[in-house]
């Protein structure tokens, strides 16, 4: 439950509405949510906004395709489109440089924004990000469940509950019914059903899109000097935990923290630890390595 007062508004980015919630003051921290059915900014970070807003200006948008923001995403280059929209949002909010926190789909968007415009990003926190080694192995069972939600007989509460309880978190029994209800209602918005934001690439450009969506294929990754904290649940069933060491090897200024008994939703499953790691990392003048003894 969020107790901090949220300031809410809709910002037009390239003529398209992006819904934003804000709290706190100080350095701007933009929190980008994942791409699961019915996701939204505030619902995904409900256990984190209070803690972070005590230290920073926390900006939590609904990503394009979700919540109260514009529906539809450029399927030829989804991560590039999302990065452009978030960059445009920063422009409209008068934010020159921000720290970025991204989970899954939002992590891929955050990393792409840093690759495209590194001067806009102070520090990066990537939590089980998408787009890491996705062309180097078959999709996980969790990713297949996510991508099939709008296929077949269409969305249903049972399909969503299975995805969340079986694949999204380590302890499915800990997920309350009202959270599933909230996400299910959001997932059946007619505009979303007509144009799901997260889907398998198809058509003649599918191979090019798949390659572009694997950010480990981007040659700029090895030159990205942005201080980066990679967080990954060891029991993530959506994005393979092997992506953590892969990013640690590729990014020249990265730290990696992996936790046991944690699935794909660390910010919710391990909220207290997540909040402390994020605050420490964003507040530190040096690398995160100096904080390791605190864990």
């Amino acid at each position: 439950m969020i107790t901090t007062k949220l300031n809410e508004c809709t910002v037009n980015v390239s003529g398209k509405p992006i819904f934003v919630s804000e709290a706190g003051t100080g350095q701007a921290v933009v929190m980008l949510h994942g791409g699961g059915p019915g996701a939204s900014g505030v619902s995904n970070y409900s256990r984190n906004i209070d803690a972070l807003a005590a230290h920073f200006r926390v900006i939590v948008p609904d990503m394009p395709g979700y919540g109260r923001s514009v529906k539809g995403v450029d399927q030829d280059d989804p991560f590039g489109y999302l990065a452009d929209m978030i960059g445009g949002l920063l422009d409209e909010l008068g934010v020159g440089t921000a720290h970025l926190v991204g989970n899954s789909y939002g992590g891929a968007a955050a990393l792409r924004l840093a690759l495209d415009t590194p001067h806009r990003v102070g520090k990066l926190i990537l939590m089980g990000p998408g787009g890491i080694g996705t062309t180097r192995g078959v999709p996980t069972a969790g990713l297949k469940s996510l991508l099939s939600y709008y296929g077949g007989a269409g969305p249903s509460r049972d399909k969503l509950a299975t995805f969340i309880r079986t694949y999204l978190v380590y302890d499915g029994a800990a997920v309350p019914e009202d959270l599933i209800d909230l996400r299910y209602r959001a997932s059946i918005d007619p505009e979303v059903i007509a144009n799901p934001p997260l889907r398998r690439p198809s058509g003649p450009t599918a191979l090019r899109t798949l390659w572009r969506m694997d950010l480990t294929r981007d040659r700029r990754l090895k030159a990205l000097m942005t201080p980066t904290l990679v967080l990954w649940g060891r029991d993530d069933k959506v994005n393979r935990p092997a992506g953590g060491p892969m990013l640690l090897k590729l990014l020249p200024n990265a730290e990696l923290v992996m936790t046991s008994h944690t699935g794909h939703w660390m910010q919710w499953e391990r909220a207290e630890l997540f909040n402390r790691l994020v605050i420490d990392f964003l507040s530190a003048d040096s690398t995160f390595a100096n904080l390791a003894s605190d864990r």
Side-chain angles (χ1 to χ4, degrees), residues 13-30:
V13 178
S14 300
K16 299 174 181 178
I18 300 295
F19 181 78
V20 182
S21 300
E22 282 198 46
T25 59
Q27 291 180 303
V29 177
V30 180

Side-chain angles (χ1 to χ4, degrees), residues 111 129-135 213-216 221 232 242-244 246-247:
L111 183 53
I132 307 302
T134 47
T135 62
M213 291 178 71
D214 185 348
L215 297 173
T216 65
L221 203 61
W232 221 300
M246 188 181 299
L247 277 177

Side-chain angles (χ1 to χ4, degrees), residues 22-106:
E22 282 198 46
T25 59
Q27 291 180 303
V29 177
V30 180
M31 306 187 74
L32 303 178
H33 64 78
S40 68
V42 170
S43 69
N44 275 212
Y45 290 110
S46 62
R47 296 184 172 185
N48 320 113
I49 291 173
D50 280 345
L52 269 62
H55 301 269
F56 309 104
R57 176 187 177 187
V58 177
I59 300 170
V60 189
D62 288 348
M63 298 275 276
Y66 295 85
R68 286 182 267 182
S69 289
V70 62
K71 301 305 182 285
V73 171
D74 179 0
Q75 294 299 323
D76 286 336
D77 184 16
F79 299 154
Y81 172 80
L82 294 172
D84 288 346
M85 291 296 286
I86 298 304
L89 175 64
L90 294 180
D91 290 337
E92 295 297 329
L93 295 176
V95 176
T97 301
H99 301 311
L100 301 182
V101 179
N103 172 225
S104 193
Y105 191 62

